[in-house]
Amino acid sequence: MMKLSRICIYPKDVQRITGKSEKTSRRLLQKIRKSLGKEPHQYITTEEFAKYTGIEAHLIQNYL
């Protein structure tokens, strides 16, 4: 059976991964959205976050 995991990343996840404040985490997600040309209501995936930050995707999945 395949393990289900989230593909969207939220500010609280970024906070746990980076150790930064929630406000800084929100700003980082806004920067990623802007660089990808996404609208404010669109989600950031773990893959997009991994590419932008240079953190391996499997390490990010461990925090979710």
Side-chain angles (χ1 to χ4, degrees):
M1 182 172 197
M2 187 175 142
K3 179 185 171 197
L4 297 178
S5 62
R6 287 189 288 128
I7 59 170
C8 297
I9 193 157
Y10 297 97
K12 193 70 174 178
D13 301 323
V14 176
Q15 194 176 356
R16 286 197 330 242
I17 292 166
T18 63
K20 302 291 183 182
S21 71
E22 186 173 356
K23 188 168 186 169
T24 302
S25 299
R26 287 183 187 280
R27 278 194 219 124
L28 177 58
L29 290 177
Q30 287 173 348
K31 277 185 183 180
I32 295 171
R33 268 191 205 91
K34 187 176 180 181
S35 74
L36 295 171
K38 288 190 168 197
E39 297 293 322
H41 67 276
Q42 293 179 309
Y43 293 107
I44 301 298
T45 66
T46 54
E47 290 292 325
E48 291 166 339
F49 182 78
K51 275 186 188 176
Y52 187 87
T53 60
I55 301 170
E56 294 180 28
H58 76 277
L59 294 174
I60 293 169
Q61 286 294 335
N62 290 339
Y63 279 89
L64 302 182

